[in-house]
C-alpha cells in the first residue's frame, strides 16, 4: 500500500477541518457490487487537508462537500483500491461504475473528471495493452493537456511509480506542463521526490546508515564489508511485503554460505513486539533492523523509499547496482558476482 494511503488512514477517526464554508459540492454515486460499504475521500495534498467518509447503502452514496479551489482527492475503497477524484466549488459530481472495474469509473461534473474518464475508456478499448503502449498514451495526454491536473496523476502513475523510473523522462514530461500546474503542491512534492530519487539512482553511491537489529546491536554498511548487499524494505503490516518474504527465504537458503553476498531486512514497523513476532513467524533468518519510525525513518528518507516492498542491491564499494529486482534478476546478478570472483581467483593464481 502506498505511503500516502497509510498516512491518511490514521486520520479516519478525525473530523473534517474547520473553516468557512464555500460553495458546496454535490456528490452522488452508484457502484455496482459496493453494497453497504464505506468509501474514504482524502486529499492528495494539503489543498484538501481532511478525510471525508462516504457511506454507501445498496451500492449508492451521496455527500455534500466543500473546497475553495480545484483540488485532487483520492477515493479509497475497502479493498485498498485508490482512484482520483477532482473537486471544485459548485460542482455536481456523479460517479458510476462497478466494483469489478474500479480502474475505469465514469465520473462527470468538471473537465478533469471527464478527461480521466475518457482516457480510461480509451485504455479499456485497447484490451490488454503493453506497458509501452500505456506509457505512450499517458505521454500523449500530458503533451496535449499541459494544464490539466490529470497530467500530474498520469505522470505519477505511469512514470514515477515504476519499479525503476526513468528520471530524465519524468523531468522531460514535467517540463511540458504549465507554470500554474508546476506551482501546485502535488506537483511540487512530485518534483522534490524525483530530485531525492535521483540522488540514489542506480550507479550512485549509497548513503551511510546505522540501525539496531533484533538483538539490539548496531548494524551499518561496514558490517557487510567486501559483500554485495541486498537491502529489503518491508513491514509486518504490509501484506505484499509478507508475501514477498517467500522469495527472500528462497534466496537466503540458496546463498547463505555465499561469502560474497548478504541480505539485510529493513522494517518500517512501529511496534517492536509485532516486528519480532513476524520475524519469527515468517522465519526471517537473515539480519533484520528497525528504528520504529515507520515512514519517517532516516534510512527511508536517505534511500527515497516510497512504496513497499522495495529492494536495493549495493556493491562491496557501496555503489547502487539495482533496484526492485525480481527473483530472476537477483539470480542473474548473483551469477555475475560468482563469475567475477572466479576470474579474480584465477588471475591471482596466474600471478603466483
Amino acid at each position: 500500500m502506498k505511503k500516502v494511503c497509510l498516512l491518511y488512514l490514521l486520520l479516519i477517526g478525525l473530523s473534517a477541518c474547520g473553516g468557512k464554508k464555500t460553495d458546496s459540492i454535490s456528490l452522488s454515486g452508484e457502484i455496482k457490487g459496493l453494497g453497504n460499504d464505506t468509501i474514504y475521500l482524502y486529499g492528495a495534498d494539503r489543498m484538501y487537508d481532511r478525510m471525508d467518509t462516504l457511506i454507501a447503502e445498496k451500492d449508492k452514496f451521496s455527500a455534500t462537500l466543500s473546497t475553495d479551489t480545484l483540488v485532487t482527492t483520492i477515493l479509497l475503497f475497502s479493498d485498498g483500491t485508490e482512484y482520483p477524484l477532482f473537486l471544485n466549488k459548485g460542482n455536481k459530481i456523479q460517479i458510476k461504475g462497478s466494483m469489478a472495474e474500479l480502474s475505469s469509473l465514469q465520473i462527470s461534473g468538471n473537465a478533469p473528471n471527464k478527461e480521466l474518464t475518457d482516457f480510461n475508456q480509451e485504455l479499456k478499448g485497447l484490451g490488454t495493452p503493453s506497458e509501452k503502449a500505456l506509457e505512450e498514451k499517458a505521454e500523449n495526454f500530458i503533451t496535449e493537456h499541459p494544464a490539466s491536473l490529470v497530467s500530474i496523476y498520469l505522470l505519477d502513475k505511469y512514470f514515477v511509480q515504476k519499479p525503476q523510473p526513468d528520471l530524465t523522462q519524468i523531468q522531460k514530461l514535467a517540463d511540458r506542463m504549465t507554470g500554474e500546474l508546476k506551482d501546485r503542491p502535488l506537483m511540487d512534492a512530485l518534483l522534490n521526490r524525483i530530485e531525492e530519487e535521483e540522488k540514489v539512482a542506480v550507479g550512485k553511491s549509497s548513503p551511510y546508515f546505522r540501525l539496531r537489529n533484533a538483538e539490539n546491536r548496531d548494524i551499518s554498511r561496514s558490517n557487510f564489508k567486501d559483500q554485495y548487499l541486498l537491502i529489503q524494505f518491508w513491514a509486518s503490516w504490509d501484506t505484499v511485503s509478507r508475501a514477498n518474504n517467500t522469495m527472500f527465504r528462497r534466496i537466503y537458503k540458496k546463498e547463505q554460505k555465499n561469502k560474497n553476498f548478504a541480505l539485510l531486512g529493513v522494517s518500517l514497523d512501529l511496534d517492536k513486539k509485532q516486528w519480532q513476532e513476524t520475524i519469527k513467524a515468517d522465519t526471517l533468518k537473515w539480519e533484520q533492523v528497525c528504528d520504529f519510525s515507520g515512514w519517517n525513518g532516516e534510512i527511508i528518507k536517505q534511500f527515497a523509499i516510497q512504496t513497499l516492498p522495495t529492494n536495493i542491491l549495493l556493491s562491496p564499494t557501496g555503489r547502487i547496482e539495482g533496484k526492485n529486482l525480481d527473483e530472476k534478476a537477483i539470480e542473474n546478478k548473483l551469477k555475475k558476482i560468482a563469475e567475477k570472483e572466479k576470474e579474480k581467483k584465477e588471475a591471482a593464481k596466474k600471478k603466483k
Side-chain angles (χ1 to χ4, degrees):
M1 188 179 288
K2 288 190 279 186
K3 174 183 176 181
V4 68
C5 174
L6 292 169
L7 288 174
Y8 278 97
L9 278 175
L10 298 175
L11 300 176
I12 289 173
L14 299 179
S15 59
C17 292
K20 268 191 172 182
K21 287 279 183 181
T22 58
D23 294 347
S24 63
I25 300 166
S26 169
L27 183 150
S28 63
E30 181 176 4
I31 298 177
K32 293 178 181 178
L34 180 61
N36 300 329
D37 206 348
T38 302
I39 306 172
Y40 296 103
L41 178 74
Y42 66 85
D45 59 48
R46 64 178 179 272
M47 293 181 79
Y48 194 90
D49 58 354
R50 61 183 177 274
M51 171 76 77
D52 288 301
T53 304
L54 309 176
I55 306 297
E57 290 185 14
K58 297 180 180 179
D59 299 342
K60 297 180 180 180
F61 54 91
S62 63
T64 300
L65 308 169
S66 65
T67 182
D68 294 314
T69 186
L70 179 62
V71 294
T72 302
T73 64
I74 303 293
L75 291 166
L76 173 62
F77 294 87
S78 58
D79 67 353
T81 300
E82 295 180 340
Y83 195 92
L85 175 66
F86 306 98
L87 302 175
N88 202 355
K89 56 185 178 181
N91 286 166
K92 292 183 178 179
I93 306 293
Q94 287 191 320
I95 303 171
K96 292 182 180 180
S98 166
M99 287 297 290
E101 291 184 299
L102 285 178
S103 61
S104 56
L105 295 176
Q106 295 179 45
I107 305 179
S108 61
N110 58 36
N113 286 318
K114 186 179 185 305
E115 288 167 354
L116 183 58
T117 295
D118 291 345
F119 178 84
N120 284 330
Q121 287 301 309
E122 281 185 35
L123 294 190
K124 195 175 176 181
L126 297 177
T128 309
S130 64
E131 183 179 326
K132 186 178 179 181
L134 289 171
E135 289 178 4
E136 286 177 354
K137 278 283 187 182
E139 183 174 354
N140 289 338
F141 183 95
I142 293 168
T143 302
E144 295 168 7
H145 302 80
S148 173
L149 285 179
V150 179
S151 291
I152 300 179
Y153 167 73
L154 296 180
L155 178 66
D156 187 29
K157 180 177 180 178
Y158 291 104
F159 300 96
V160 178
Q161 295 294 337
K162 288 176 67 175
Q164 298 187 40
D166 184 336
L167 302 178
T168 303
Q169 183 185 24
I170 292 169
Q171 190 62 60
K172 180 183 173 184
L173 291 172
D175 288 341
R176 295 179 187 175
M177 298 180 188
T178 61
E180 184 181 348
L181 209 59
K182 289 177 184 175
D183 288 340
R184 287 205 160 240
L186 182 58
M187 191 62 186
D188 190 44
L190 195 61
L191 292 175
N192 285 338
R193 175 178 165 184
I194 294 166
E195 202 174 297
E196 290 304 309
E197 288 188 352
E198 197 167 11
K199 293 176 186 177
V200 285
V202 173
K204 299 290 179 70
S205 294
S206 160
Y208 177 79
F209 60 87
R210 182 189 295 275
L211 296 107
R212 289 290 178 95
N213 68 3
E215 286 74 43
N216 209 33
R217 288 186 290 106
D218 282 342
I219 300 295
S220 68
R221 180 69 186 87
S222 57
N223 286 84
F224 306 94
K225 189 179 179 183
D226 301 325
Q227 290 180 302
Y228 281 83
L229 178 64
L230 183 61
I231 306 177
Q232 164 214 14
F233 293 89
W234 70 288
S236 67
W237 41 258
D238 182 58
T239 55
V240 182
S241 289
R242 296 286 296 273
N244 211 34
N245 281 336
T246 304
M247 178 186 82
F248 286 102
R249 278 197 299 272
R250 285 195 296 267
I251 293 169
Y252 176 76
K253 186 177 180 180
K254 187 177 178 182
E255 304 294 334
Q256 59 182 312
K257 293 181 180 179
N258 185 348
K259 294 180 180 179
N260 302 309
F261 174 76
L263 263 173
L264 174 65
V266 177
S267 173
L268 276 70
D269 273 273
L270 298 169
D271 187 301
K272 187 173 183 179
K273 185 179 179 183
Q274 186 178 348
W275 172 59
Q276 291 175 328
E277 287 176 350
T278 304
I279 291 173
K280 187 177 180 180
D282 287 7
T283 324
L284 310 182
K285 295 181 178 180
W286 54 96
E287 193 71 82
Q288 298 289 333
V289 294
C290 185
D291 65 3
F292 309 105
S293 299
W295 288 104
N296 294 315
E298 186 62 28
I299 191 171
I300 302 306
K301 295 174 183 176
Q302 288 175 316
F303 281 95
I305 304 302
Q306 300 292 334
T307 59
L308 291 180
T310 289
N311 66 69
I312 297 175
L313 180 66
L314 306 183
S315 73
T317 59
R319 181 180 182 272
I320 297 173
E321 294 285 322
K323 287 186 171 185
N324 294 312
L325 305 173
D326 59 23
E327 193 165 3
K328 188 175 181 181
I330 293 168
E331 286 177 357
N332 289 336
K333 286 280 186 182
L334 291 172
K335 282 179 184 177
K336 288 180 181 179
I337 292 168
E339 287 169 3
K340 281 184 182 179
E341 291 304 313
K342 188 178 179 181
E343 288 172 4
K344 282 183 184 179
K345 287 179 181 179
E346 288 176 352
K349 283 179 181 180
K350 286 179 181 179
K351 285 183 180 180
K352 290 180 180 179

